[in-house]
Amino acid sequence: MGEGTRELVDFCIPCNPYFPTPDMFNTLAKNLESVLKFYPSDATKIANQLSHVLRLNPATIAMSNGSTELITWMDHLWIHDSVAIPIPTFGRWTDQPMENSKRVDMFLLQESDNFELDIDAYIKFIRTRGSRVAVLCNPNNPDGGYLPRREIVRFMDELADLDLVVIDESFIDFVEVERNPSVAAEASIRPNVVVLKSLGKNFGLHGIRFGYLVANPGLAGKMRRTLPKWNLNSLAESVVFMLKEHAEEYHESLQLLSRDRYRMGMELSRLPEMTVFSSQANFLLAKLAPGIDGGELRDFLVQRHQVLIRECGNKLGMSSQFVRLVVRPEQDVARLVEGIRDFSKSRWSDHTDHQVPSLIMHSA
């Protein structure tokens, strides 16, 4: 498979290449035997530690085995009839309700608007459709589009009469254009708002399966009572208890990732093969030039250069002409760029080879 000695570089799965630090991984490895041998603490103890780190009231938090578990239970508990969601977005927000025969009102984000969400147009859409639940991902996945905090607060207040308003902040920690962009504190004092969070996405530790929500004590308490008492694993607990001690390293990792995002966006924008959209997440959305299929590019890169990318053809509101690329350090981006240029050369070579016989016959 290409240059078999090269390690795979993953531009597909969202990650934070700078956190956890090597020292944190060493500590986890050193304690792995006891972590695996003994039961984790119950959710109350872990919630108390997490709320201390986040400076939130523990009564406003409900933790889960990944944010997808919370999406599943929100659907069962609070989505009774219909839900509105801008697309393209994270697939479980559309798939989960449809699997349970709920009506999903999809608000299509326009490429001509760079996939930016117009809050007023979305609110009007929700009212016209009569949606009873509204979801908004900020930043959005796969484009990384971000709305200012004041707009999100206005959105929540405009829809105070709905059954539920969900703000998915799974990638909020990567935002740099605004200080304190989260609306979690505002959600905790509103009657119908839930904010969804994901430690796994923030750290790129998807294997620990750790998500949580923030809401008023009534909503958060109902979710806690619904979830199993021991629904978190010991490895996830270990990471939570390490957070306070390593908060400085985490914030530094976010600054480094922001730098890499800017550099990567500039580098990819120089390529004639793609158009790159602005992002405040730890990934970039790019549209490939006409005639280039994302699936073909993905297969070429992984086979020839051991580089893996996310082709977006299976996302509602997207096509295989779009790819999502996780932000990575410069040396990895150089390999990606090398692979894309090699792909273009190979296509040109194939095109030229196919043209040669017809030219010879014509001259004859």
Side-chain angles (χ1 to χ4, degrees):
M1 199 175 164
E3 301 172 39
T5 58
R6 302 177 83 178
E7 278 190 26
L8 183 74
V9 177
D10 187 357
F11 284 89
C12 179
I13 305 298
C15 69
N16 182 341
Y18 303 106
F19 195 86
T21 64
D23 285 345
M24 291 177 69
F25 277 119
N26 289 337
T27 300
L28 287 170
K30 189 185 304 182
N31 298 328
L32 185 61
E33 183 177 349
S34 61
V35 167
L36 295 179
K37 274 188 174 181
F38 300 104
Y39 287 109
S41 302
D42 65 31
T44 301
K45 181 177 180 179
I46 303 174
N48 286 336
Q49 177 65 18
L50 182 64
S51 63
H52 182 65
V53 174
L54 301 175
R55 299 179 181 178
L56 291 170
N57 184 336
T60 65
I61 294 174
M63 301 174 304
S64 67
N65 184 29
S67 58
T68 301
E69 182 178 51
L70 287 171
I71 293 172
T72 301
W73 280 109
M74 278 190 267
D75 176 44
H76 290 309
L77 292 174
W78 296 316
I79 302 178
H80 306 298
D81 172 54
S82 56
V83 55
I85 177 74
I87 61 168
T89 195
F90 179 50
R92 290 312 299 165
W93 279 121
T94 53
D95 297 349
Q96 172 65 39
M98 286 194 291
E99 288 166 7
N100 287 288
S101 302
K102 314 289 177 59
R103 192 185 82 227
V104 179
D105 300 325
M106 302 182 207
F107 181 76
L108 182 63
L109 300 176
Q110 301 296 327
E111 181 191 343
S112 57
D113 296 326
N114 295 318
F115 298 103
E116 294 176 6
L117 175 62
D118 182 326
I119 282 285
D120 292 310
Y122 184 35
I123 292 173
K124 182 178 179 182
F125 171 85
I126 292 166
R127 296 302 189 192
T128 301
R129 294 297 180 93
S131 313
R132 294 306 307 158
V133 174
V135 178
L136 193 159
C137 299
N138 196 43
N140 192 37
N141 175 10
D143 56 280
Y146 172 74
L147 288 170
R149 186 174 177 276
R150 67 179 183 277
E151 287 290 274
I152 302 299
V153 172
R154 183 168 71 87
F155 177 76
M156 296 188 301
D157 289 343
E158 289 270 0
L159 300 174
D161 60 310
L162 295 193
D163 296 339
L164 190 71
V165 175
V166 183
I167 309 299
D168 187 339
E169 292 187 343
S170 293
F171 299 99
I172 199 76
D173 284 8
F174 301 110
V175 171
E176 66 162 341
V177 295
E178 186 172 22
R179 292 188 64 183
N180 304 317
S182 176
V183 295
E186 284 73 13
S188 67
I189 57 172
R190 280 168 170 76
N192 68 332
V193 179
V194 167
V195 168
L196 185 67
K197 302 272 196 174
S198 172
L199 286 186
K201 291 185 175 73
N202 293 340
F203 304 156
L205 291 178
H206 303 280
I208 67 172
R209 305 306 303 144
F210 192 107
Y212 66 99
L213 65 74
V214 181
N216 70 62
L219 289 176
K222 184 170 184 177
M223 182 60 76
R224 285 196 304 272
R225 292 188 296 273
T226 301
L227 294 168
K229 190 173 179 61
W230 281 280
N231 65 324
L232 300 175
N233 62 74
S234 298
L235 199 56
E237 178 184 3
S238 298
V239 172
V240 170
F241 275 82
M242 295 174 76
L243 291 181
K244 185 177 180 182
E245 183 182 346
H246 296 278
E248 186 176 337
E249 290 102 314
Y250 179 57
H251 292 301
E252 182 180 345
S253 78
L254 298 177
Q255 293 173 355
L256 293 171
L257 193 140
S258 176
R259 177 204 64 188
D260 288 349
R261 178 174 59 209
Y262 173 77
R263 290 177 175 175
M264 180 173 165
M266 293 295 291
E267 192 68 27
L268 294 178
S269 294
R270 294 190 181 102
L271 295 172
E273 293 86 357
M274 58 175 54
T275 300
V276 181
F277 295 87
S278 177
S279 171
Q280 282 292 296
N282 58 340
F283 47 78
L284 298 171
L285 180 70
K287 183 180 183 182
L288 303 174
I292 301 180
D293 179 77
E296 291 180 12
L297 176 62
R298 176 201 60 211
D299 295 345
F300 180 92
L301 289 175
V302 76
Q303 291 169 8
R304 301 283 188 91
H305 294 268
Q306 283 69 63
V307 169
L308 182 62
I309 66 172
R310 170 68 157 91
E311 176 264 322
C312 296
N314 67 340
K315 277 192 171 289
L316 293 171
M318 298 245 93
S319 72
S320 60
Q321 205 176 347
F322 291 89
V323 294
R324 189 191 67 191
L325 304 167
V326 168
V327 173
R328 296 197 64 89
E330 280 185 300
Q331 65 271 21
D332 294 339
V333 176
R335 194 155 133 198
L336 172 65
V337 169
E338 173 194 2
I340 294 172
R341 286 175 174 158
D342 189 26
F343 174 77
S344 293
K345 288 178 184 176
S346 70
R347 292 178 77 245
W348 176 252
S349 175
D350 290 344
H351 177 75
T352 304
D353 290 345
H354 286 133
Q355 293 298 317
V356 168
S358 62
L359 288 172
I360 292 174
M361 290 181 68
H362 180 71
S363 62

